[in-house]
Amino acid sequence: MNGRVDSGYKPIVVARVHEVALKGANRPWFMHTLVQNVEHALRDVPHERVRVRNTRLVIPIPGLETWPTVRERLSWVFGVANFSLALETGLRQEEIQAGLAKLMELLGPPSGSYRVRAKRTNKSYPLTSPELERELGQFIKDRTGAPVNLTEPDVTYQVEILYDRALVSGEAVKGPGGLPVGVSGRVVVLLSGGFDSPVAAYRMMKRGCFVTLVHFHAYPYVRPISIEKAVEIARHLGRYQPGVRLIVVPIGDAQREIALASQPALRVVLYRRLMMRIATAIAYEQGAGAVVTGESLGQVSSQTLENMRVIGAVTDLPLLRPLVGFNKDEILGEAIQIGTEPISRVPDDDCCTVFIPRHPATHATLAQAEEAEQAFDSQALVASSLAQRTDYQGDPATWDVTLALAAATR
Ligand code: ATP
Ligand code: MG
């Protein structure tokens, strides 16, 4: 332990998780999943293997120049409550002081007022936490002259006394919180080119779900813009989930058959029921436990309780609508924050309006929808649409939109 301080400082990033998520028998799996997700987020960033220490992840990095990238990447990993740059030191007070001095050398002196917070995992340490806080606070004051502020400091230094070493860390950066992607199982998210469904997908990832995205389109009956947008959005969402997957399904031919056999007023609901049937088939194939949409109650005239019932009736899986109680401006605010808003904003052709003369207000009842479906074979339409699907997985940077276009015209 002696000599660590003098043998050069290896910076460490310490990430903390929400304690509440750690309770119970799932903890080892939770931490294991989190480690894997952090490793994935840092796959092209130099670092040593991510290790678990109690309720923290410890990530040694080779030098301070990697810190800005690590800082950005960790802000994408759900389950991380907060994180900070730290130095590992020996347990002696001089060693801890030397560590603090080095940290200030690396990050600069406190930008304003400061305080020191000490926490002892090792309760037999000779100094109590308040004593440590006073001693180390004085040490920083002597070196920098910065003012102490115990209630609203600009910077908080943390010192954690473990059994065999101490960790001295700078200001904590807020992480995204939530649960590590994977611990809650898999869901299928219906991804349009709009603002809402990408936010719905983000929300499900944040609750620990591994998401398979499904996009429906009517190319070649309409322009291919929505497919390009879905690929862009999936790429972007891939930063929050290791191994993002997008399935693109052309439904233009099926929509044409439905349109030939039904009244215009029913078509939107019938198209939606088709989408839901296909999404459910994909969910079963993927072992997903639920289907998710970006619907929010009353947002547009079609998102009524009645329509939700008629559309939801074709799936026996839980149909989750994480945005059901959100206003449009709340959803937009979040889309801006997660970075999908600029992609969603690009105008596209909505496949739900093809083969419909005008956009009719649709309040179909379940009985009307079921009766209309007597005129065509829903299961055959599901199968023929799925036969033309394109699966995108692996590195999203390599995804080729022209594959989905070719599949739709095959
Ligand atoms: P969004 O902003 O997500 O497009 P929206 O407000 O436009 O939603 P609707 O067009 O009524 O609302 O769509 C409701 C939900 O149905 C979407 O959030 C999405 O989950 C699903 N959905 C609609 N169109 C498609 C599509 N082409 N492919 C996949 N899912 C779709
Ligand atoms: Mg839409």
Side-chain angles (χ1 to χ4, degrees):
M1 199 182 334
N2 282 347
R4 179 185 278 118
V5 168
D6 298 322
S7 64
Y9 294 85
K10 201 185 258 180
I12 296 169
V13 179
V14 179
R16 299 166 193 88
V17 305
H18 282 297
E19 303 273 331
V20 71
L22 288 171
K23 297 219 168 81
N26 285 334
R27 175 173 161 171
W29 188 50
F30 180 108
M31 292 305 273
H32 173 76
T33 307
L34 185 60
V35 167
Q36 285 192 318
N37 294 354
V38 169
E39 286 289 7
H40 185 266
L42 299 179
R43 63 198 177 284
D44 55 347
V45 183
H47 68 282
E48 278 177 31
R49 197 168 55 80
V50 177
R51 293 192 305 262
V52 177
R53 293 247 186 267
N54 302 318
T55 61
R56 302 175 198 81
L57 300 188
V58 173
I59 312 159
I61 55 176
L64 197 66
E65 63 288 352
T66 28
W67 166 240
T69 314
V70 172
R71 188 187 161 121
E72 180 180 43
R73 298 292 178 83
L74 284 183
S75 74
W76 300 343
V77 181
F78 297 124
V80 172
N82 65 66
F83 57 97
S84 43
L85 182 65
L87 294 173
E88 209 169 76
T89 77
L91 279 172
R92 287 186 295 127
Q93 224 183 315
E94 324 70 276
E95 293 176 303
I96 296 172
Q97 287 176 347
L100 262 180
K102 186 67 187 176
L103 200 65
M104 285 186 286
E105 199 184 308
L106 294 171
L107 296 174
S111 54
S113 61
Y114 72 93
R115 76 172 164 190
V116 177
R117 291 286 294 272
K119 188 176 159 193
R120 302 180 314 161
T121 301
N122 174 2
K123 299 292 182 201
S124 63
Y125 192 73
L127 294 183
T128 65
S129 296
E131 283 168 350
L132 264 170
E133 288 171 0
R134 263 199 308 278
E135 296 278 335
L136 296 170
Q138 188 60 46
F139 173 78
I140 296 175
K141 188 158 198 62
D142 292 344
R143 285 184 72 95
T144 66
V148 174
N149 183 337
L150 296 180
T151 49
E152 277 187 6
D154 296 308
V155 181
T156 299
Y157 295 95
Q158 295 204 40
V159 176
E160 303 186 30
I161 304 294
L162 306 176
Y163 285 94
D164 58 343
R165 81 193 79 93
L167 277 178
V168 184
S169 46
E171 198 170 11
V173 181
K174 207 170 161 0
L179 301 173
V181 170
V183 300
S184 304
R186 186 184 291 267
V187 295
V188 161
V189 177
L190 279 78
L191 182 77
S192 70
F195 292 107
D196 306 337
S197 38
V199 176
Y202 175 90
R203 286 272 162 164
M204 295 312 295
M205 291 173 177
K206 189 168 176 178
R207 292 317 299 159
C209 288
F210 198 93
V211 163
T212 295
L213 303 164
V214 178
H215 175 67
F216 300 103
H217 67 86
Y219 178 84
Y221 300 96
V222 298
R223 295 175 298 164
I225 303 167
S226 79
I227 310 172
E228 290 156 15
K229 288 171 68 181
V231 165
E232 264 319 295
I233 290 167
R235 276 193 185 126
H236 187 82
L237 290 175
R239 61 167 56 167
Y240 304 108
Q241 167 178 308
V244 72
R245 180 164 194 183
L246 170 69
I247 300 177
V248 176
V249 187
I251 55 168
D253 290 338
Q255 288 180 284
R256 200 180 50 171
E257 275 202 40
I258 293 172
L260 286 173
S262 64
Q263 302 163 24
L266 284 176
R267 284 177 201 162
V268 171
V269 161
L270 298 180
Y271 295 164
R272 288 297 164 91
R273 281 164 64 92
L274 173 73
M275 287 187 189
M276 194 52 66
R277 287 191 172 101
I278 297 173
T280 302
I282 292 173
Y284 274 106
E285 169 206 292
Q286 302 263 312
V291 177
V292 179
T293 72
E295 288 165 300
S296 124
L297 187 60
Q299 190 191 82
V300 289
S301 61
S302 61
Q303 290 178 17
T304 58
L305 289 177
E306 197 178 22
N307 271 352
M308 287 184 184
R309 177 180 178 211
V310 178
I311 296 161
V314 298
T315 186
D316 57 355
L317 289 173
L319 181 48
L320 306 180
R321 301 175 177 94
L323 308 183
V324 72
F326 283 69
N327 299 326
K328 194 74 191 181
D329 53 336
E330 292 168 327
I331 298 170
L332 273 177
E334 190 150 315
I336 291 168
Q337 211 186 313
I338 67 184
T340 51
E341 189 270 350
I343 313 169
S344 297
R345 200 194 308 137
V346 177
D348 63 20
D349 299 333
D350 184 348
C351 68
C352 287
T353 58
V354 295
F355 311 123
I356 299 177
R358 266 171 295 119
H359 198 81
T362 49
H363 287 274
T365 65
L366 188 54
Q368 286 173 314
E370 284 173 349
E371 202 204 307
E373 285 171 355
Q374 301 295 315
F376 51 89
D377 182 345
S378 292
Q379 282 318 312
L381 295 182
V382 170
S384 59
S385 303
L386 279 174
Q388 286 179 290
R389 71 191 233 179
T390 305
D391 283 34
Y392 292 102
Q393 49 191 320
D395 180 2
T398 65
W399 293 359
D400 178 1
V401 175
T402 61
L403 292 179
L405 305 188
T409 48
R410 180 167 70 206

